[in-house]
Amino acid sequence: MDPLEKRADIHELIERSSGISLDIGCGANKQPGFIGMDIQDLSGVDILHDWNVHPWPLPDECVLRAVASHVIEHIPPVAVDDGKTRFLFMEFMDEVWRVMRPGGEFAIACPHGYSPGFLQDPTHCNAVNETTFVYFDPNHPFYNFYRPKPWNVRFINWDPSANIEVVLVKAAVQDGRGGLCLLYTSDAA
C-alpha cells in the first residue's frame, strides 16, 4: 500500500472511531492496535514521516493515547534554522499535544541522560532526566522558561544508570496555563 492509501485509511479510521492510538517512532516493532509513525520505511509503519517536521499529517485532537519508546533521546533539543534558534524538543512535545485529545495519555520510555545507554549511542542528543518534565507543567516555576503546551505528569520512574519512563496527560490550556499535579516515584533512592 502506498503512503497516500495508508493516509486515507488512517483518516477513515479516525472518522469512524473515537480516535487512534499512535506509536511514534515505532520502527519495525509497532505496538498492537496502534498506528505506527516512523521516519524509516519499515514493516508496520503506517505513517512515513519525520517527527521533527511539523505539522504531522494528522488532524488536531485525533489521538487518544500515544507512545514513544526510545525516540525522544534522538530529537535535537536546540537548532539554528535560518539564523533563528528553535527548540526542537519543545516543538515535538507541542506537536504531540496538538494531535492528542484532552486527557489523552502520552507514555515515554528512554535512556536516562546519565546512563551508559544514553552515552553509548552516537545518535542520542537529547539527555533527559527526572526533572526535564516539570518544564511542561504550568504549576512548576520551570514552566515559565519556555511556556510549552501544558502536560500533567501522571507517573514517572527512573534509574540514573538505566531508563526513565513517564506518562504525561494532556492538560487543558486555562488562561494560558493548565495542569494540576506532579507525581514522582523512583526506584533509584
Side-chain angles (χ1 to χ4, degrees):
M1 185 179 292
D2 75 32
L4 289 177
E5 288 177 38
K6 283 185 181 181
R7 187 175 300 161
D9 287 348
I10 292 162
H11 285 284
E12 196 174 295
L13 176 65
I14 292 167
E15 286 179 14
R16 71 173 188 261
S17 66
S18 61
I20 63 170
S21 298
L22 183 64
D23 188 339
I24 303 164
C26 65
N29 300 305
K30 179 175 63 175
Q31 296 295 312
F34 280 68
I35 299 295
M37 182 172 78
D38 205 289
I39 63 174
Q40 299 179 72
D41 191 8
L42 301 169
S43 176
V45 173
D46 302 297
I47 303 171
L48 183 60
H49 187 78
D50 182 343
W51 54 73
N52 288 310
V53 177
H54 309 128
W56 294 345
L58 291 167
D60 295 354
E61 299 185 352
C62 69
V63 176
L64 300 171
R65 62 186 174 153
V67 296
S69 181
H70 294 269
V71 169
I72 67 169
E73 67 272 20
H74 298 278
I75 298 170
V78 179
V80 177
D81 186 13
D82 288 329
K84 181 183 174 200
T85 299
R86 294 179 49 207
F87 299 98
L88 299 178
F89 178 54
M90 300 301 234
E91 291 175 13
F92 170 86
M93 293 297 293
D94 284 353
E95 185 64 5
V96 176
W97 190 93
R98 180 189 71 79
V99 301
M100 187 73 64
R101 291 244 171 107
E105 291 188 343
F106 180 32
I108 299 166
C110 64
H112 193 285
Y114 304 151
S115 72
F118 175 78
L119 297 171
Q120 74 188 17
D121 188 325
T123 67
H124 290 175
C125 58
N126 186 18
V128 300
N129 65 28
E130 60 278 5
T131 306
T132 299
F133 299 97
V134 300
Y135 285 85
F136 298 93
D137 188 311
N139 294 311
H140 194 281
F142 289 178
Y143 176 83
N144 291 312
F145 286 122
Y146 307 107
R147 300 190 61 80
K149 300 296 184 190
W151 295 90
N152 291 325
V153 178
R154 174 159 293 164
F155 171 83
I156 188 164
N157 189 11
W158 73 92
D159 178 344
S161 66
N163 291 327
I164 186 166
E165 298 169 333
V166 63
V167 176
L168 303 173
V169 178
K170 179 180 177 175
V173 174
Q174 300 167 352
D175 299 324
R177 299 174 68 84
L180 298 172
C181 67
L182 288 175
L183 171 63
Y184 284 104
T185 62
S186 175
D187 292 334

